[in-house]
Amino acid sequence: MNQTERVSTKTLYKLVKQGMIDANKLHRKGKNNPKSHQETRGEINSCKTIHERDEQYPQASTNQEYGHFEGDTIVGKNRQSAIVTLVEKKSKHIVLLKASRKSQEVKEAMLNWLNEQMETAIKTFTFDCEKEFSKWKEIKQESQTPIEIFFSDPGAPG
């Protein structure tokens, strides 16, 4: 290749992956994070999946039994606020809880609502894999209502 030919950085890194170019000859050695952002919200590990819910509660996936809620968040303007949405699968009853995007506030909003619902037959919650729900173990332990919490597959809609 002569000096007048140009190659995109994407092409260069493809050639590195193929072993045709030594990675040490390139200026950037890895991903660049210009803002040096460090994630402070928790991670969701060792959780039960929606497949386990379907085995344990087969009527939950067919919407034949009351008490199975699905949760998500609606994020507000400039990503500063959020509303936790809980939808009961059989009746389509919707519960909206005001919270920020912080997992501690989501936990507190969930516990306040759950502890008011002691008479109802709440069995399960299924959340998506957002970090707002990373305090799910604390929600389960501190709730006065016995509940099971499951998570959907990452990147899977519905």
Side-chain angles (χ1 to χ4, degrees):
M1 178 160 55
N2 65 34
Q3 301 245 346
T4 60
E5 293 179 2
R6 295 179 183 249
V7 180
S8 72
T9 55
K10 188 174 182 178
T11 302
L12 287 173
Y13 285 98
K14 280 184 183 178
L15 293 173
V16 168
K17 281 186 178 179
Q18 294 172 358
M20 298 176 77
I21 295 178
D22 182 21
N24 294 326
K25 293 183 179 180
L26 300 176
H27 292 289
R28 288 183 55 200
K29 304 295 188 253
K31 290 186 178 183
N32 183 20
N33 190 354
K35 295 180 182 177
S36 299
H37 176 72
Q38 187 171 5
E39 186 61 59
T40 57
R41 297 180 297 163
E43 293 183 18
I44 298 174
N45 296 324
S46 67
C47 57
K48 292 183 180 181
T49 67
I50 195 168
H51 307 291
E52 294 174 76
R53 182 203 68 184
D54 293 344
E55 289 175 14
Q56 204 171 349
Y57 301 93
Q59 294 175 333
S61 60
T62 58
N63 301 342
Q64 293 178 351
E65 182 178 45
Y66 182 84
H68 302 284
F69 286 80
E70 292 187 348
D72 199 357
T73 52
I74 299 172
V75 180
K77 185 177 180 181
N78 298 329
R79 304 183 64 79
Q80 295 300 310
S81 62
I83 293 176
V84 179
T85 62
L86 302 171
V87 179
E88 200 286 320
K89 289 176 58 81
K90 181 177 181 177
S91 67
K92 305 299 183 207
H93 175 74
I94 299 173
V95 177
L96 302 175
L97 306 173
K98 185 179 178 185
S100 73
R101 296 191 65 226
K102 300 202 180 297
S103 58
Q104 180 66 30
E105 288 193 30
V106 170
K107 178 191 108 171
E108 289 170 3
M110 287 282 300
L111 284 173
N112 288 339
W113 179 76
L114 265 172
N115 292 335
E116 292 173 1
Q117 306 300 315
M118 292 180 58
E119 299 292 320
T120 58
I122 298 172
K123 295 180 176 101
T124 68
F125 286 101
T126 305
F127 299 124
D128 54 4
C129 294
E130 293 178 359
K131 292 189 177 187
E132 288 89 1
F133 301 113
S134 63
K135 294 193 182 279
W136 66 272
K137 287 182 183 177
E138 295 172 30
I139 293 171
K140 184 176 176 181
Q141 291 170 352
E142 296 175 24
S143 170
Q144 295 172 1
T145 306
I147 56 168
E148 290 287 331
I149 297 178
F150 302 91
F151 286 87
S152 62
D153 294 330

